[in-house]
Amino acid sequence: MAHTICLINQKGGCGKSSTCFHLAGAFAHLGLRVLLVDMDPQGSLSQGFLGSVYVETLSSDHTIASLFDDVQFFSAHASLIVDTPVDGVSLCPANQHLAAYNGPSPEKTGLGQYAVHDFLNNHREFDIVLIDCPPNLYRCSWTAMVAADAVLIPVPPEDFGTQGLRAVHQCISQARQLKPTLSMLGHLITRSDRRLLVHRMYEQKLREMYGESVLETVIPEASAFKVALTCRRPVQLHSPRVRAAKLTLQLAREILERIGMEERNRQVA
Ligand SMILES: Nc1ncnc2c1ncn2[C@@H]1O[C@H](COP(=O)(O)OP(=O)(O)OP(=O)(O)O)[C@@H](O)[C@H]1O
Ligand SMILES: [Mg+2]
């Protein structure tokens, strides 16, 4: 059965979508079948693979928004999963239609809280599922946590980046009341520039505060991530020899170790 990880932080631009995009390539490289679920009305992850024109013109019933239209028929949504240009990586796209369902009071959404959870339960053909959340802790993030086995919190090592973490932790605790098995995969330091004293200091501070929850691998600020994204290819496939790709692969292996999952032999091109 797939292991489902949601990437959450109410901080915008901290690297949630970028991490999903590039990690998917690394997991696929390790032979895993990956499903990406875009739970952000911005649709960044979907656009990364499929282009903005295509994604913005998708009707609601071809996006994850359709799961909230009528939860009783969620299991009929097989067509929601589309292939990406990357072998081994599939995607449930999102676009602006999801915004109507991202209300700020998730606890009042009743059965709808389980929409993504139940949908994923009907799609067990994947090894790993990554859910990309919007920069808030509203219904989309809540529904993602209810569907997930574990939470990963991307955090840039600076003041604005670390603000709001308390609210994120509180929200995870609340979600655990509904989903007691939800575990903390960890805090992932993203967009780090170790040439900056302030980034080195914040990394140290995060490690002191959160201990082993902070993943050993640090994702640097690197143009290779942006270039690969522009070419619609995860960095591992676009330029596997660059440091950004090696660190993403190291991150994928570290995550697999944490969740107790092994690499597969199925290597993709
Ligand atoms: N490690 C990195 N190195 C260089 N650029 C990065 C890195 N991580 C993210 N970016 C760039 O920063 C911008 C914001 O990143 P991203 O969209 O992944 O953040 P996000 O947390 O998903 O944002 P939002 O909260 O709006 O969903 C993007 O243009 C992305 O390409
Ligand atoms: Mg995003």
Side-chain angles (χ1 to χ4, degrees):
M1 197 176 155
H3 198 93
T4 301
I5 300 166
C6 66
L7 284 83
I8 287 202
N9 195 339
Q10 62 177 340
K11 168 75 190 154
C14 64
K16 297 177 287 295
S17 305
S18 179
T19 304
C20 282
F21 184 85
H22 297 294
L23 251 188
F27 282 135
H29 177 78
L30 295 174
L32 301 175
R33 291 160 302 175
V34 186
L35 176 64
L36 294 171
V37 179
D38 193 345
M39 286 297 295
D40 185 353
Q42 296 180 95
S44 311
L45 184 60
S46 309
Q47 295 181 24
F49 281 104
L50 306 174
S52 57
V53 174
Y54 177 80
V55 171
E56 282 166 7
T57 51
L58 283 173
S59 63
S60 175
D61 50 326
H62 286 99
T63 71
I64 198 85
S66 62
L67 292 187
F68 300 100
D69 282 347
D70 186 346
V71 291
Q72 288 181 336
F73 295 107
F74 58 80
S75 56
H77 293 282
S79 62
L80 262 187
I81 300 177
V82 296
D83 289 336
T84 71
V86 179
D87 190 16
V89 179
S90 302
L91 170 76
C92 290
N95 62 13
Q96 64 283 353
H97 293 298
L98 188 57
Y101 301 100
N102 194 27
S105 303
E107 69 282 1
K108 293 183 184 147
T109 54
L111 274 181
Q113 297 173 99
Y114 294 96
V116 178
H117 174 271
D118 293 344
F119 172 73
L120 292 178
N121 257 348
N122 284 299
H123 294 282
R124 298 179 175 214
E125 63 270 36
F126 298 97
D127 298 306
I128 199 147
V129 180
L130 300 175
I131 310 181
D132 184 28
C133 295
N136 52 58
L137 302 171
Y138 297 169
R139 188 182 179 190
C140 286
S141 298
W142 180 264
T143 314
M145 280 192 287
V146 173
D149 297 301
V151 183
L152 181 63
I153 309 176
V155 192
E158 54 188 53
D159 211 33
F160 284 171
T162 52
Q163 283 172 4
L165 279 181
R166 186 193 299 256
V168 175
H169 292 143
Q170 271 172 1
C171 194
I172 294 169
S173 299
Q174 279 171 359
R176 276 202 183 122
Q177 290 172 13
L178 200 66
K179 181 84 184 287
T181 54
L182 179 67
S183 69
M184 174 65 89
L185 178 56
H187 296 71
L188 170 66
I189 297 175
T190 51
R191 312 201 64 172
S192 167
D193 183 348
R194 279 180 170 157
R195 290 171 305 180
L196 302 179
L197 176 62
V198 68
H199 277 201
R200 295 199 302 275
M201 282 172 60
Y202 262 96
E203 178 178 340
Q204 191 183 345
K205 190 172 152 188
L206 284 164
R207 292 191 188 282
E208 280 166 15
M209 281 177 77
Y210 300 117
E212 295 201 342
S213 176
V214 182
L215 283 111
E216 204 175 301
T217 309
V218 171
I219 295 298
E221 181 78 15
S223 60
F225 288 118
K226 290 180 195 288
V227 173
L229 180 63
T230 306
C231 299
R232 307 211 190 296
R233 304 276 288 167
V235 69
Q236 180 61 42
L237 306 176
H238 182 265
S239 37
R241 293 200 183 131
V242 302
R243 186 165 167 266
K246 289 178 183 161
L247 285 170
T248 306
L249 193 58
Q250 180 183 311
L251 173 64
R253 289 193 161 119
E254 188 178 356
I255 289 173
L256 290 184
E257 201 178 320
R258 284 200 177 197
I259 65 177
M261 186 180 282
E262 298 197 342
E263 297 170 22
R264 308 273 188 263
N265 291 325
R266 195 181 68 89
Q267 294 278 326
V268 297

